[in-house]
């Protein structure tokens, strides 16, 4: 198949179009001072129309070889004017041959003479039919080019989105490593046993994150499993200062989301929230779904008087960009900062993992 229509489909279109052309040709030959009898006019017009169907099929390839916007006007005019002239002459000559054949069947009917008087009109009709076929093919080529451009634009958009998602995902991993190593460093001198336990958990944590990061989508339950491992690491450092509550619907656990989407929010909740409070606090993770939308909430307390820490807002910005790249306007992230509490809410489509 080449172009918007295959050869077979174009032939069907031509055959369909040949019928009204033949009827118009019959009417042209059957009127005027040198009119042919309607039956003989039809016997000439219909074969001429069928012949034009076959002769004009290669015009597709000629039009494709001479794109309108890439070919000089003079070349287009000369080429198609020549093609139209040849088509008109061929139509007139073939019509003359048919008139002679019919004249042999009905001698004395004056068929040849009547046709000869109208052969100029047949030639002009052939000329116009060629130009009509050229216009038809250029329209098809234009439609085909538009479709290809739209498809390429869509493919480029998808590739750009995938590249952005890969870049954002890669940005998350160094953040994990920095925070986790910082936690181990804090325990090495004071509680080496816990530091070794944390190293084991850290190995498990990175095994899970690397495994999850290779997938295009994960379930919320898989994402929560990674978060629990991270929180187990932080619990060794913070001890009783860290409490975690989960309120997750079973239906929400199987919904898909981009891998490692929640992790920056959980890290932020610990690093910029609970860890800043001498008494610690409760990290609450909720996930609800109504079947079409899923809402995820991560809430934590913070110390409003704690000094500013670097990296505030990086994880949240990452989550926003990843959701925008993957879902567009169908997903959103809202952050609410109260007097001593911080709440992040994600609203996104509730879709099962394929």
């Amino acid at each position: 198949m080449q172009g918007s229509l295959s050869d077979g489909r174009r032939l069907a279109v031509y055959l369909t179009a040949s019928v009204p052309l033949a009827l118009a040709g019959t009417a042209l030959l059957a009127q005027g001072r040198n009119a042919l009898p309607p039956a003989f006019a039809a016997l000439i017009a219909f074969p001429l129309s069928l012949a034009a169907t076959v002769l004009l099929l290669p015009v597709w390839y000629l039009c494709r070889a001479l794109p309108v916007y890439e070919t000089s006007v003079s070349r287009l005019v000369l080429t198609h004017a020549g093609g139209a002239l040849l088509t008109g002459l061929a139509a007139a000559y073939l019509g003359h041959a048919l008139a002679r054949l019919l004249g042999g069947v009905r001698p004395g009917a004056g068929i040849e003479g009547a046709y000869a008087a109208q052969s100029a009109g047949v030639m002009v009709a052939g000329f116009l039919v060629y130009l009509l076929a050229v216009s038809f093919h250029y329209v098809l080529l234009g439609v085909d080019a538009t479709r290809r451009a739209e498809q390429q634009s869509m493919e480029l958009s998808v590739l750009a989105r995938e590249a952005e998602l890969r870049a954002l995902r890669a940005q998350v991993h160094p953040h994990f490593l920095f925070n986790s190593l910082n936690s181990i460093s804090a325990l090495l001198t004071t509680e080496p046993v816990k530091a070794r336990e944390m190293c084991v958990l850290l190995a498990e944590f990175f095994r899970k994150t690397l495994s999850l990061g290779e997938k295009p989508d994960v379930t919320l339950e898989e994402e929560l499993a990674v978060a629990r491992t991270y929180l187990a690491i932080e619990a060794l450092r913070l001890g009783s200062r860290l409490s975690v509550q989960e309120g997750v619907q079973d239906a929400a656990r199987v919904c898909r989301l981009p891998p490692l989407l929640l992790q920056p929010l959980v890290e932020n909740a610990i690093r910029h929230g609970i860890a800043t409070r001498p008494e610690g606090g409760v990290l609450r993770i909720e996930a609800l779904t109504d079947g079409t939308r899923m809402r995820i909430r991560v809430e934590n307390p913070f110390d409003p008087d704690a000094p500013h820490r670097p990296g505030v807002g990086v994880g949240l910005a990452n989550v926003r960009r990843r959701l925008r790249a993957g879902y567009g306007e169908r997903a959103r992230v809202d952050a609410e900062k109260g007097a001593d509490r911080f709440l992040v809410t994600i609203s996104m489509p509730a879709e099962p993992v394929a």
Side-chain angles (χ1 to χ4, degrees):
M1 177 172 170
Q2 298 179 354
S4 296
L5 293 177
S6 65
D7 287 344
R9 291 178 65 191
R10 282 191 289 115
L11 179 59
V13 171
Y14 271 33
L15 288 174
T16 302
S18 69
V19 175
L21 285 176
L23 293 174
T26 300
L28 177 68
L29 294 173
Q31 63 182 348
R33 189 171 56 183
N34 299 297
L36 287 166
F40 290 103
L43 289 174
I44 293 175
F46 273 87
L48 280 178
S49 297
L50 290 175
T53 298
V54 177
L55 291 174
L56 292 178
L57 276 175
V59 174
W60 167 265
Y61 302 97
L62 181 61
C63 292
R64 194 178 60 178
L66 299 174
V68 172
Y69 296 109
E70 300 176 18
T71 309
S72 64
V73 174
S74 58
R75 188 179 180 188
L76 281 173
V77 171
L78 289 174
T79 300
H80 291 307
L85 181 60
L86 288 175
T87 302
L89 290 173
Y93 179 80
L94 181 58
H96 182 73
L98 289 169
R100 181 182 299 175
L101 180 64
L102 292 173
V105 176
R106 288 284 301 272
I111 296 175
E112 284 188 70
Y115 174 81
Q118 299 196 61
S119 60
V122 173
M123 185 174 70
V124 171
F127 189 97
L128 295 176
V129 167
Y130 174 89
L131 295 180
L132 182 63
V134 167
S135 301
F136 172 70
H137 286 138
Y138 274 130
V139 168
L140 287 182
L141 287 168
V143 170
D144 192 55
T146 301
R147 285 179 180 172
R148 284 199 307 270
E150 290 176 351
Q151 183 176 1
Q152 290 173 355
S153 176
M154 186 178 300
E155 290 173 354
L156 288 174
S157 176
V158 170
L159 290 174
R161 187 182 69 178
E162 290 178 351
E164 182 181 5
L165 287 171
R166 284 195 297 270
L168 291 169
R169 192 180 300 171
Q171 178 184 329
V172 174
H173 285 288
H175 198 52
F176 293 166
L177 183 60
F178 174 81
N179 285 346
S180 300
L181 292 179
N182 188 56
S183 298
I184 292 174
S185 176
L187 287 174
L188 276 175
T189 55
T190 57
E191 299 182 77
V193 175
K194 285 188 177 181
R196 285 195 295 271
E197 186 179 349
M198 187 179 289
C199 286
V200 174
L201 287 171
L202 181 61
E204 180 183 354
F205 172 70
F206 273 101
R207 179 182 60 78
K208 289 181 177 179
T209 58
L210 291 173
S211 173
L212 238 62
E214 295 299 321
K215 299 179 180 180
D217 301 295
V218 298
T219 63
L220 176 61
E221 181 57 34
E222 289 176 303
E223 184 79 2
L224 288 172
V226 173
R228 293 185 194 111
T229 304
Y230 173 79
L231 291 170
I233 294 172
E234 290 295 347
L236 288 174
R237 182 169 66 90
L238 298 174
S240 60
R241 293 169 58 204
L242 172 62
S243 298
V244 180
Q245 295 180 355
E246 283 189 20
V248 181
Q249 271 187 345
D250 289 339
R253 295 181 188 275
V254 297
C255 292
R256 74 180 182 95
L257 69 164
L260 307 178
L261 185 75
L262 291 185
Q263 189 62 31
L265 302 182
V266 173
E267 288 189 27
N268 281 348
I270 299 296
R271 186 163 185 265
H272 303 294
I274 293 172
T276 66
R277 291 163 52 94
E279 70 277 23
V282 177
L283 168 64
R284 179 158 184 80
I285 302 173
E286 296 180 349
L288 305 171
T289 178
D290 60 4
T292 58
R293 303 283 300 176
M294 178 170 63
R295 189 181 65 175
I296 304 171
R297 292 161 51 98
V298 178
E299 185 179 17
N300 63 274
F302 69 93
D303 184 355
D305 298 323
H308 178 80
R309 290 192 174 192
V312 175
V314 173
L316 189 58
N318 184 290
V319 171
R320 281 198 172 102
R321 291 174 62 192
R322 292 182 69 192
L323 284 174
R324 183 170 63 249
Y327 294 91
E329 298 299 322
R330 296 187 300 146
R332 58 179 294 176
V333 180
D334 295 312
E336 301 176 25
K337 187 176 182 179
D340 62 352
R341 304 195 70 77
F342 194 79
L343 171 65
V344 177
T345 303
I346 296 175
S347 177
M348 60 187 296
E351 301 170 346
V353 173

